[in-house]
Amino acid sequence: MKISVVGAGYVGLTLAAGLASLGHKVWVVRKDKEKSEALKQGKIHFFEPGLEELVKKDLAAGRLLPTTEYCKAIPQSDVVFIAVGTPSLPTGEADLTQLDLAVGQIGENLRSGYTVVVNKSTVPPGTTRKIVSIIGEKKKSSADFDIGFCPEFLREGHAVEDTFHPDRVILGCESEKAIKILKDLHKSFNAPILNTRIESAEFIKYAANAYLALRIVFADQLADLCERASGDIEEVIKGVGMDKRIGTHYWYPGLGYGGSCFPKDVAGFACFANQQGCRGNLFEKMDKLNKERVKKVLKTLEAEFGRFKGKKVGILGLACKKGTDDVRNSNALKLAVMIAQRGAKVMANDPLAMGNARLITSKLMFCRDPYEVAQRADALLILTDCLEFETMDYKRIKKEMAGNFLFDARNLLPKEQMIALGFKYLGTGR
Ligand code: NAD
């Protein structure tokens, strides 16, 4: 098929490269001319394992065509995917500006004949159907189209793997003609396909993210209680998770949920629920608890370590999680900056995210490796679940440090062994 993907971020570029590698001809439409030229040379502006190799192969085969011009891509396409950003407004509501602009330009450029337009950007239920009228106003009369919403479920750090092996494909589409085309397009992904109403598909995406975020809020709340009443959250999760209905996967305490999706989608869902008249809804409470989480952790750290002013603090982990360079809404980075603002000298390292962190803050000093971070540090804080931090030589780390305070936000380390090495160890909920 001939396909356009509008938006070349984590979702758009991975989808475009994945579809091109399956033999489709794919234009990837982006706004930024410089990044588009770089992409033509196989250069990607973010880190995602395996993506650059895939992109280079697709470019060499002439199947992936980066462009900034809608008029070169859209009129040739059987299917147009939209994968632009839908960040939060200050109110928490989803900001649909990028989507509206992209949809307008798609409408102006639709060819005579039939096109399927598919939204993949996460939006409040009801948004995708509104796209119909925007395109309807812009398109020429000979252009015919149907609309669908296919939510994206990829995880940053696993985007390529998740694109080729999704757990499911949700087709929110109500036109038989479009459903057939989209089923054909998705069959190579070898995943169960569920066809739903457009609004149901929009709900599925918001609900899936809200539920995963809820598991993290739940673990954080439970961890707080364990700290007060001598429980060990890791034992609790293990025991509760032995119930097959629950499982031990994907609930862990720490700094709360972060990243480019959960915070904005939970806040967006909460606003949507309020607009529907569901006041005091669960999503609003989750959003509030999660926003308070970093401040709460900082308070605990100050109670256990003392004031940060004038101290040297080493921080390991700045991204929102392991395996990504994405620092959007990273609670680790927020905590690092808050500690620096309290007058500490903060030395930091992250295997992938230092470049992006540098763009956001000048308050941290970035170090080559974790051992440099630990040098003469009064406290060492491990804030993300990077494997590198789990497998360090802690005997050496202890020697490098001036103090012995070790905070392990994600409970990566064996507590007893760390205590035996001489650390004053503080985990989360244990
Ligand atoms: P992103 O910010 O990395 O990429 C969006 C891209 O769209 C940017 O490069 C931006 O320049 C471009 N863009 C904006 N307006 C444009 C326009 N008019 N024409 C062409 N390009 C335009 O965002 P992302 O992480 O890829 O997410 C995209 C959407 O997918 C969001 O709605 C997000 O919630 C959703 N999503 C993201 C993930 C994830 O893990 N990142 C997972 C599932 C769903």
Side-chain angles (χ1 to χ4, degrees):
M1 281 184 209
K2 290 182 176 165
I3 297 166
S4 283
V5 178
V6 177
Y10 291 85
V11 171
L13 188 56
T14 313
L15 174 71
L19 289 171
S21 75
L22 293 172
H24 303 290
K25 188 166 183 177
V26 185
W27 287 266
V28 56
V29 185
R30 65 187 316 166
K31 281 195 305 191
D32 190 308
K33 222 175 168 63
E34 214 174 295
K35 284 187 184 151
S36 186
E37 288 310 309
L39 183 57
K40 284 181 190 163
Q41 309 306 316
K43 293 195 187 97
I44 299 175
H45 68 285
F46 57 90
F47 172 78
E48 200 49 60
L51 185 57
E52 199 158 295
E53 293 84 334
L54 196 64
V55 162
K56 282 184 175 149
K57 254 191 224 161
D58 292 337
L59 288 167
R63 290 187 301 250
L64 185 68
L65 305 157
T67 179
T68 53
E69 293 177 80
Y70 280 72
C71 62
K72 289 217 171 121
I74 308 298
Q76 308 208 46
S77 301
D78 306 307
V79 180
V80 176
F81 284 100
I82 306 168
V84 298
T86 48
S88 280
L89 289 169
T91 54
E93 222 176 320
D95 180 353
L96 303 176
T97 314
Q98 292 182 32
L99 183 73
D100 289 344
L101 282 172
V103 168
Q105 283 170 289
I106 291 167
E108 280 167 17
N109 287 283
L110 274 192
R111 65 184 177 191
S112 298
Y114 184 70
T115 311
V116 185
V117 179
V118 186
N119 180 28
K120 279 191 94 67
S121 298
T122 306
V123 289
T127 307
T128 303
R129 208 177 283 279
K130 289 186 193 141
I131 292 176
V132 176
S133 52
I134 305 178
I135 295 182
E137 276 168 25
K138 302 270 180 185
K139 74 174 184 70
K140 49 181 168 287
S141 57
S142 53
D144 180 22
F145 74 101
D146 276 312
I147 195 96
F149 177 71
C150 293
E152 179 56 62
F153 297 101
L154 65 76
R155 297 161 299 163
E156 285 178 15
H158 300 267
V160 173
E161 181 193 330
D162 289 349
T163 295
F164 285 108
H165 307 286
D167 289 342
R168 77 294 210 194
V169 171
I170 305 291
L171 296 184
C173 189
E174 293 154 26
S175 141
E176 287 308 323
K177 191 171 170 184
I179 292 167
K180 187 176 175 311
I181 292 170
L182 293 176
K183 277 192 174 164
D184 265 5
L185 187 60
H186 285 92
K187 68 174 180 240
S188 321
F189 296 124
N190 211 9
I193 296 180
L194 179 69
N195 180 214
T196 67
R197 284 179 58 79
I198 294 174
E199 286 78 4
S200 303
E202 292 170 323
F203 266 108
I204 288 168
K205 177 61 196 173
Y206 258 163
N209 274 4
Y211 182 68
L212 291 170
L214 178 64
R215 289 175 76 107
I216 295 170
V217 174
F218 186 86
D220 286 337
Q221 293 280 293
L222 208 50
D224 288 353
L225 271 178
C226 284
E227 276 168 22
R228 281 175 174 75
S230 307
D232 179 329
I233 185 72
E234 297 303 326
E235 290 176 352
V236 175
I237 288 176
K238 203 169 175 187
V240 175
M242 287 166 90
D243 184 327
K244 289 194 186 71
R245 293 169 302 175
I246 300 172
T248 50
H249 64 285
Y250 215 82
W251 57 302
Y252 49 81
L255 301 182
Y257 59 79
S260 67
C261 290
F262 288 0
K264 82 170 175 69
D265 291 344
V266 172
F269 207 19
C271 285
F272 170 78
N274 270 322
Q275 285 158 5
Q276 302 303 311
C278 301
R279 306 256 170 236
N281 58 76
L282 170 67
F283 316 112
E284 198 174 80
K285 295 210 169 75
M286 286 165 62
D287 186 41
K288 185 169 179 289
L289 286 169
N290 197 61
K291 281 185 177 136
E292 288 163 357
R293 183 74 191 160
V294 176
K295 279 186 223 142
K296 201 234 139 237
V297 171
L298 182 57
K299 218 170 146 192
T300 307
L301 287 173
E302 283 175 328
E304 296 290 329
F305 173 71
R307 282 160 61 85
F308 282 109
K309 194 171 167 66
K311 293 285 168 28
K312 190 172 172 201
V313 178
I315 291 209
L316 297 177
L318 296 168
C320 50
K321 58 176 186 176
K322 70 177 169 193
T324 181
D325 63 352
D326 198 348
V327 294
R328 290 180 283 182
N329 253 313
S330 162
N331 289 335
L333 186 57
K334 274 184 206 157
L335 182 60
V337 170
M338 282 161 104
I339 290 172
Q341 281 166 341
R342 277 173 162 59
K345 182 173 175 189
V346 177
M347 316 294 288
N349 175 268
D350 185 288
L352 297 167
M354 290 206 286
N356 283 340
R358 260 198 199 98
L359 298 176
I360 289 187
T361 179
S362 56
K363 296 213 172 299
L364 314 180
M365 301 182 67
F366 297 97
C367 299
R368 267 192 326 269
D369 60 51
Y371 299 101
E372 195 183 330
V373 166
Q375 268 171 26
R376 291 181 292 284
D378 298 298
L380 184 69
L381 317 182
I382 302 172
L383 302 184
T384 60
D385 54 340
C386 292
L387 188 66
E388 289 87 337
F389 306 151
E390 224 175 308
T391 52
M392 294 187 310
D393 177 354
Y394 277 89
K395 214 169 166 180
R396 184 175 156 200
I397 291 279
K398 175 75 186 44
K399 272 197 197 136
E400 299 281 2
M401 289 177 64
N404 70 344
F405 187 82
L406 178 64
F407 174 52
D408 177 13
R410 288 292 309 277
N411 296 337
L412 298 183
L413 307 172
K415 179 180 173 177
E416 299 309 328
Q417 276 179 41
M418 294 300 123
I419 293 169
L421 284 175
F423 286 108
K424 180 180 176 191
Y425 176 90
L426 180 69
T428 300
R430 56 203 309 222

